[in-house]
């Protein structure tokens, strides 16, 4: 883990778990959070844990697994977690013959060890990650080079992203209290999947490194006048901590848990800036690695069947993924050995069918020197060098790697999903390819293919402005980020002055509302046009639910666009108060069809 210093370049010297982040000289690990009484019982470990305990994937037919579970118990194992919908059981055993014995059990299709090291005792009674003190940042959020490179700053005027789109950050965790992440953070759908079982305790999702928080900021840091702005600052992010503390390893059972969680919790897109440890490449002719491929593949397919698209980093070894020959980095949880491999061996989840694989650009449209490549493997590219984003404790820093390129693509995918709410994962994958800008091969004989699709850049570099569908008209987007208190039985108004928009407002005026208030059934919310006409957005519905974070469409075509618009909030009962946190107006008109 790395210290997070403002403006410093942050790099990783950890083992290959964070395969999407550029390896560099080793950095000191931050101390692990001390266990509190709430996070750990008096006993330091569970009686179920013994030295030599290993984790296994037991693959069965989807459905009732009770017979196989009984066989696990009868043969020296325990069921740690189970995913019957995909036929995957995570079993623990300290018996050296467990896997061999279980493979002969009726109903068992595959059994494979997920690691070459013992399961930590922490798996049975996990400590909560640290909750770091938060630094404050002066006002000001300049547009970064990587953001302007993909035209995200122009896309915000058309569509900054919808809060109904949830993005899963499958990583080392996320600092949910960071000033730039908190406004868009979804705690209800966040979890730790470390060790392969959902841990839903508050804070279990927090960062055990700095990597996940950095990725999260690139996707959706809030447009709040401070720090940085994410590619899709209007969407929601949820943390799924897949990394284990102390080493930031992403074992197969953790990834499986993360993908199943993503499918069950409605994540439209997930960011996967890692590979599944301990094998950089999993080979189907190895009995353990074959089970890892099958288990993670089933989980990814499950998430996709539930409407979730997985986007993953290509890796940073400057390696041709279309012509694999050797692997010298595996297994990274014990002693790596050099082995001969073929293209049948897969980087998981990056090379699974249906996953979008992301390469990194350097400055402009160059290939980042570290980025992996491969004809037919790379789908799209995005900026990945010296990306400045959020780190735990309210800080900011720069990192390089395909880990940093991937959240740019995830942000663009979230913008597409915001503009096209019913889009399927397959359609979203196709749209990502269609909106990318072609990049021709440089004078480098390793780059093969055409300008439209080659081994360095795939379909090209993503373009957020093209992703949202049009060029924004001047003065199209306006916002008021100031807080206005909503007191009991009182009315408050927040103004926005619109200038530079000719004619009337559109019939599809978008009104983005972010109100923090308990018991929203107390509230009536209106848009007041410059001439005083009132358009009701919310009228005391929602009962005891908290907060209004919604974009409304208003037919304001009879109103002159320029002038002062007001968001009026009326509290109609005692006991619950809140504030107008922010609101926006987006003046959008349909794009004319091209002439033939």
């Amino acid at each position: 883990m790395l210290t997070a210093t403002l403006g410093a370049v942050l790099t990783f010297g950890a083992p290959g778990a964070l395969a999407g982040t550029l390896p560099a000289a080793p950095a000191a690990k931050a101390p692990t959070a001390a266990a509190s009484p709430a996070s750990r019982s008096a006993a330091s470990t569970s009686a179920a844990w013994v030295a030599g305990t290993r984790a296994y994937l037991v693959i069965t037919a989807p459905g009732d697994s009770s017979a196989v579970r009984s066989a696990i118990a009868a043969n020296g194992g325990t069921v740690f977690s189970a995913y019957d919908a995909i036929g995957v059981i995570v079993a623990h055993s300290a018996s050296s013959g467990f896997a061999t014995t279980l493979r002969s059990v009726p109903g068992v299709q595959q059994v494979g060890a997920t690691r070459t090291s013992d399961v930590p005792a922490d798996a049975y009674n996990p400590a909560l990650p640290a909750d770091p003190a938060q630094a404050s940042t002066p006002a000001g959020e300049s547009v970064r080079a990587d953001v302007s490179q993909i035209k995200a700053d122009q896309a915000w005027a058309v569509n900054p992203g919808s809060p109904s789109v949830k993005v899963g950050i499958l990583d080392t965790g996320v600092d949910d209290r960071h000033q730039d992440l908190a406004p868009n953070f979804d705690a209800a759908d966040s979890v730790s999947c470390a060790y392969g079982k959902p841990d839903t305790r508050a804070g279990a999702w927090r960062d055990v490194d700095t990597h996940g928080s950095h990725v999260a900021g690139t996707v959706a840091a809030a447009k709040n006048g401070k720090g940085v702005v994410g590619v899709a600052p209007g969407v929601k992010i949820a943390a799924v901590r897949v990394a284990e503390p102390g080493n930031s390893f992403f074992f197969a059972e953790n990834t499986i848990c993360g993908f199943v969680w993503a499918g069950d919790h409605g994540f439209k897109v997930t960011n996967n800036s890692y590979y599944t440890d301990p094998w950089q490449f999993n080979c189907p002719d190895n009995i353990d690695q074959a089970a890892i491929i099958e288990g993670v593949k089933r989980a990814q397919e499950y998430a996709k069947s539930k409407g979730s698209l997985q986007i993953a980093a290509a890796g940073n070894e400057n390696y041709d993924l279309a012509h694999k020959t050797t692997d010298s980095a595996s297994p990274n949880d014990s002693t790596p050995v050099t082995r001969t491999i073929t293209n049948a061996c897969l980087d998981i989840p990056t090379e699974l069918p249906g996953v979008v694989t992301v390469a990194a650009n350097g400055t402009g449209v160059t290939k980042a020197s570290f980025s992996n490549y491969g004809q037919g493997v790379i789908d799209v590219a995005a900026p990945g060098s010296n990306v400045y984003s959020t780190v735990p404790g309210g800080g900011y820093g720069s990192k390089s790697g395909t880990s940093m390129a991937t959240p740019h693509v995830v942000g663009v995918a979230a913008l597409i999903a915001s503009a096209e709410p019913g889009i399927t994962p397959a359609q979203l994958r196709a749209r990502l390819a269609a909106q990318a800008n072609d990049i021709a091969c440089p004078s480098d004989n390793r780059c093969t293919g055409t300008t439209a699709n080659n081994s360095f850049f795939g379909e090209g570099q993503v373009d957020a402005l093209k992703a949202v569908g049009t060029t924004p008209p001047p003065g199209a987007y306006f916002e008021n980020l100031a807080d206005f208190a909503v007191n009991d039985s009182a009315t408050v108004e927040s103004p926005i002055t619109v200038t530079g928009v000719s004619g009337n407002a559109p019939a599809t005026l978008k009104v983005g509302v972010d109100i923090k208030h308990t018991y929203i059934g107390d509230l009536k919310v209106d848009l007041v046009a410059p001439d005083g006409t009132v358009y009701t957005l919310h009228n005391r519905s929602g009962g005891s639910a908290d907060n209004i974070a919604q974009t409304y469409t208003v037919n304001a075509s009879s109103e002159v666009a320029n002038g002062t618009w007001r968001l009026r909030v009326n509290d109609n009962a005692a006991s619950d108060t809140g504030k107008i946190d922010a609101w926006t107006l987006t003046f959008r008109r349909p794009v004319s069809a091209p002439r033939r």
Side-chain angles (χ1 to χ4, degrees):
M1 201 177 300
L2 307 168
T3 38
T5 49
L6 186 62
V9 176
L10 302 179
T11 51
F12 279 77
L18 297 169
T21 303
L22 179 60
K29 291 279 186 178
T32 303
S36 67
S39 66
R40 188 182 290 278
S41 62
S44 61
T45 61
S46 166
W49 183 88
V50 295
T53 298
R54 295 293 174 93
Y56 300 87
L57 296 184
V58 180
I59 310 296
T60 72
D64 182 10
S65 65
S66 55
V68 173
R69 294 187 198 206
S70 296
I72 290 170
N75 287 283
T78 58
V79 174
F80 186 74
S81 60
Y83 303 94
D84 285 353
I86 60 173
V88 176
I89 299 170
V90 179
H92 287 179
S93 179
S95 169
S96 60
F98 173 76
T100 301
T101 302
L102 208 65
R103 289 181 186 120
S104 64
V105 169
V108 173
Q109 299 172 357
Q110 292 176 269
V111 180
T114 65
R115 52 185 88 202
T116 63
S117 56
D118 289 358
V119 175
D122 186 66
Y124 292 88
N125 197 12
L128 288 175
D131 181 6
Q134 299 294 315
S136 60
T137 295
E141 49 183 8
S142 59
V143 175
R144 307 184 315 276
D146 56 295
V147 167
S148 60
Q149 186 171 323
I150 63 168
K151 301 178 184 175
D153 52 331
Q154 298 179 53
W156 300 330
V158 181
N159 189 337
S162 168
S164 65
V165 172
K166 285 187 288 189
V167 175
I169 309 298
L170 276 62
D171 213 288
T172 63
V174 173
D175 180 4
D176 56 297
R177 296 203 306 120
H178 192 292
Q179 60 199 335
D180 247 354
L181 301 177
N184 291 333
F185 191 79
D186 176 7
D189 292 305
S190 294
V191 71
S192 169
C193 273
Y195 310 116
K197 179 164 61 177
D199 180 351
T200 58
R201 292 175 299 162
W205 58 72
R206 290 200 175 111
D207 209 332
V208 295
D209 204 293
T210 61
H211 191 269
S213 296
H214 194 277
V215 164
T218 300
V219 175
K223 198 172 187 296
N224 57 1
K226 62 178 73 174
V228 298
V229 188
V231 173
V235 305
K236 294 297 182 184
I237 49 174
V240 180
R241 179 164 66 85
V242 184
E244 296 180 7
N247 54 31
S248 290
F249 282 134
F250 298 68
F251 291 106
E253 58 267 37
N254 310 0
T255 306
I256 290 166
C257 171
F259 285 157
V260 173
W261 183 273
D264 287 341
H265 288 260
F267 297 171
K268 197 66 179 178
V269 193
T270 68
N271 190 105
N272 302 271
S273 292
Y274 61 91
Y275 69 76
T276 301
D277 297 293
W279 306 99
Q280 185 169 8
F281 300 102
N282 287 272
C283 300
D285 60 353
N286 178 286
I287 198 166
D288 293 317
Q289 294 163 41
I292 290 173
I293 294 172
E294 180 64 20
V296 178
K297 180 170 71 71
R298 288 191 186 187
Q300 194 283 130
E301 289 173 346
Y302 177 83
K304 185 172 65 174
S305 74
K306 295 286 188 175
S308 179
L309 177 68
Q310 280 56 251
I311 301 178
N316 303 317
E317 293 74 36
N318 193 23
Y319 191 94
D320 186 351
L321 295 174
H323 296 90
K324 301 185 183 83
T325 56
T326 59
D327 171 18
S328 300
S330 307
N332 62 6
D333 66 335
S334 54
T335 303
V337 296
T338 298
R339 56 180 180 148
T340 300
I341 62 172
T342 69
N343 285 348
C345 301
L346 302 179
D347 184 333
I348 302 293
T350 298
E351 292 188 274
L352 290 177
V355 174
V356 176
T357 304
V358 180
N361 290 127
T363 302
V365 292
T366 61
K367 172 190 175 295
S369 60
F370 51 80
S371 182
N372 287 352
Y373 57 98
Q375 183 66 44
V377 179
I378 302 302
D379 291 302
V380 290
S385 295
N386 296 317
V387 175
Y388 188 71
S389 186
T390 49
V391 293
Y396 301 86
S398 294
K399 295 182 189 289
S400 293
T402 53
S403 273
M404 283 59 257
T406 303
H408 288 85
V409 178
V410 168
V412 170
L415 291 177
I416 294 171
S418 297
E420 304 175 42
I423 197 167
T424 67
Q427 291 169 335
L428 183 52
R429 193 170 189 268
R431 285 278 284 113
L432 277 171
Q435 56 76 47
N437 293 316
D438 293 342
I439 305 175
C441 278
S443 299
D444 186 328
N445 59 16
R446 297 174 303 164
C447 188
T448 60
T450 65
T451 298
N453 192 326
N454 57 60
S455 60
F456 275 14
F457 311 110
E459 298 278 354
Q461 182 172 263
V462 292
D463 185 319
L465 184 57
K466 287 171 64 177
V468 295
T470 185
T471 301
Y477 178 82
F478 301 85
E479 61 187 7
N480 190 334
L481 303 178
D483 291 346
F484 288 78
V486 179
N487 297 319
D488 278 332
S489 304
T491 299
V492 64
E493 293 184 343
S494 173
I496 288 178
T497 299
V498 173
T499 59
V501 181
S502 60
N504 284 8
T508 56
L509 177 65
K510 302 295 183 183
V511 186
V513 175
D514 187 357
I515 296 172
K516 302 293 191 295
H517 192 286
T518 52
Y519 210 101
I520 62 173
D522 287 359
L523 302 181
K524 184 172 184 288
V525 182
D526 300 311
L527 175 69
V528 183
D531 68 355
T533 302
V534 175
Y535 298 86
T536 298
L537 307 177
H538 172 94
N539 193 3
R540 304 197 67 180
S541 61
S544 61
D546 296 342
N547 306 330
I548 299 174
Q550 188 170 337
T551 299
Y552 300 88
T553 301
V554 173
N555 184 350
S557 56
S558 63
E559 307 292 339
V560 174
N562 290 336
T564 299
W565 298 72
R566 290 165 291 153
L567 187 73
R568 177 184 294 164
V569 179
N570 174 240
D571 184 298
N572 292 276
S575 300
D576 292 272
T577 61
K579 65 180 179 179
I580 302 174
D581 200 30
W583 72 290
T584 64
L585 288 172
T586 306
F587 293 77
R588 300 175 59 188
R589 294 179 176 83
V591 179
S592 299
R595 293 187 179 184
R596 296 185 180 275

